[in-house]
Amino acid sequence: MAMTTMTAVKSRLVTVLKADSNLNGIQITYGDAGEAQRKECIFFGDITTNQHTPETITAGRMRQLEDFEVDCFVSVQSKAGGPEACETRCGALADFIAQALADDPQLGGTISGLLYVRVASMQLETIEAGIDGPRCLITIRIEAKARLS
């Protein structure tokens, strides 16, 4: 009986994105790829704000709702086209992720208790200077909600 779905959700997100044909050829990793990061990379970071809320208070085991956020990072670095083109490409990759989650909010139904995942927010950061050209990073906060037994 699971008391959290955090690691299962993060692992399944990686699997779902790797299987998405729109993201073929893009490096997708469970954690920060560090020095091995390619010019286009999607990776996952921290899981934050995990909260458990009682769903019902009755005799017997108390059921809870779990609510947390997973950080997903989309990174693009490119000399061609400048910062605008870099942001456009990064935004397109982030959109593929948002579409994949909207199309399958229960991640294939393989995680017991998972109610849904959704894009909660996005943040864009662009660094214009650099020997390898501009770098764009979009942080996608993915909200997950699950019913725990």
Side-chain angles (χ1 to χ4, degrees):
M1 166 169 18
M3 291 307 296
T4 184
T5 60
M6 290 187 305
T7 57
V9 167
K10 185 175 176 182
S11 179
R12 184 69 184 152
L13 285 167
V14 171
T15 300
V16 166
L17 295 183
K18 283 184 175 183
D20 190 324
S21 62
N22 292 308
L23 299 172
N24 282 345
I26 306 299
Q27 180 185 30
I28 300 173
T29 62
Y30 190 83
D32 189 343
E35 295 297 320
Q37 184 172 319
R38 297 184 198 148
K39 298 291 184 188
E40 295 185 339
C41 181
I42 296 168
F43 62 94
F44 288 84
D46 293 341
I47 297 173
T48 58
T49 62
N50 185 328
Q51 297 182 3
H52 290 204
T53 308
E55 182 180 28
T56 56
I57 300 177
T58 60
R61 186 169 184 84
M62 182 187 329
R63 292 181 58 164
Q64 298 184 55
L65 294 175
E66 179 181 42
D67 194 353
F68 59 91
E69 292 182 346
V70 180
D71 287 339
C72 176
F73 299 95
V74 180
S75 176
V76 173
Q77 186 160 25
S78 173
K79 290 182 181 180
E84 293 91 357
C86 192
E87 283 185 356
T88 299
R89 176 63 178 156
C90 198
L93 294 177
D95 189 55
F96 288 136
I97 295 168
Q99 292 299 325
L101 299 183
D103 290 343
D104 187 11
Q106 291 183 315
L107 301 176
T110 61
I111 301 170
S112 178
L114 180 64
L115 299 173
Y116 65 83
V117 294
R118 71 175 188 90
V119 172
S121 66
M122 291 191 196
Q123 178 179 330
L124 171 68
E125 174 186 337
T126 302
I127 301 170
E128 192 165 339
I131 194 165
D132 293 322
R135 179 176 177 264
C136 180
L137 181 70
I138 293 180
T139 304
I140 303 171
R141 306 250 12 195
I142 299 171
E143 177 190 8
K145 186 173 285 276
R147 178 174 286 121
L148 303 176
S149 299

